[in-house]
Amino acid sequence: MGTHASLYYAVDLQPHGIVINKPLVNLNTVAENQIIKAPQIFPYVLDLQTYLKDHQNLDDIHQIDQEFWQHFRLGDLSKTDFFIAHMLNDDYDDRIFKQLREWLIQYQNVVMNKGIPGRHNDNGSISNPTFLYYYHLLLARDFNRKE
């Protein structure tokens, strides 16, 4: 769930580019989907509950989502390029790419993305190389770093 922190702090750091693989931002959605869609799979909701010790229920996690989006939308990422590999059938957070895309369109950011069939933990053989491709592309294109 490093994408949550990466995007949150990107607002403060205003990086040149952000490369994301399988973004997760809406913790409330992640927690709800763990309970509803994937109760027998890795219980990542327990990590959320451990991290959010003072938050006793999903309404509290929803508040954290609202705080994230408020912080994210107030920031200026207009000069930040985004490279996103996302799962088309993500069972953790199936709306995050659409939310990011809608927000980024208004700033006319460079957004390269690849939607990969499957759920969050599927197709690592496609999503991980896509992430690395975007990473190397950013370095070569903007920082003259050739391999």
Side-chain angles (χ1 to χ4, degrees), residues 19 46 66 102 126:
V19 182
L46 298 177
Q66 290 176 337
E102 288 174 0
I126 299 172

Side-chain angles (χ1 to χ4, degrees), residues 43-100:
Y44 48 84
V45 74
L46 298 177
D47 292 338
L48 292 176
Q49 291 171 339
T50 300
Y51 173 72
L52 305 169
K53 294 175 198 159
D54 298 332
H55 299 85
Q56 299 297 319
N57 60 50
L58 293 179
D59 291 335
D60 293 331
I61 298 174
H62 181 69
Q63 177 64 32
I64 290 169
D65 289 350
Q66 290 176 337
E67 290 170 11
F68 170 87
W69 285 108
Q70 181 179 22
H71 181 74
F72 188 74
R73 289 184 177 119
L74 290 176
D76 179 10
L77 293 173
S78 61
K79 295 180 177 123
T80 302
D81 294 344
F82 286 79
F83 302 83
I84 305 170
H86 61 98
M87 302 309 291
L88 294 173
N89 312 101
D90 200 313
D91 51 341
Y92 286 21
D93 186 352
D94 58 353
R95 58 190 179 149
I96 183 57
F97 179 72
K98 182 180 178 190
Q99 286 178 302
L100 285 172

Side-chain angles (χ1 to χ4, degrees), residues 113-126:
N113 74 90
K114 180 172 181 133
I116 301 159
R119 296 171 300 183
H120 191 80
N121 287 323
D122 295 342
N123 283 330
S125 62
I126 299 172

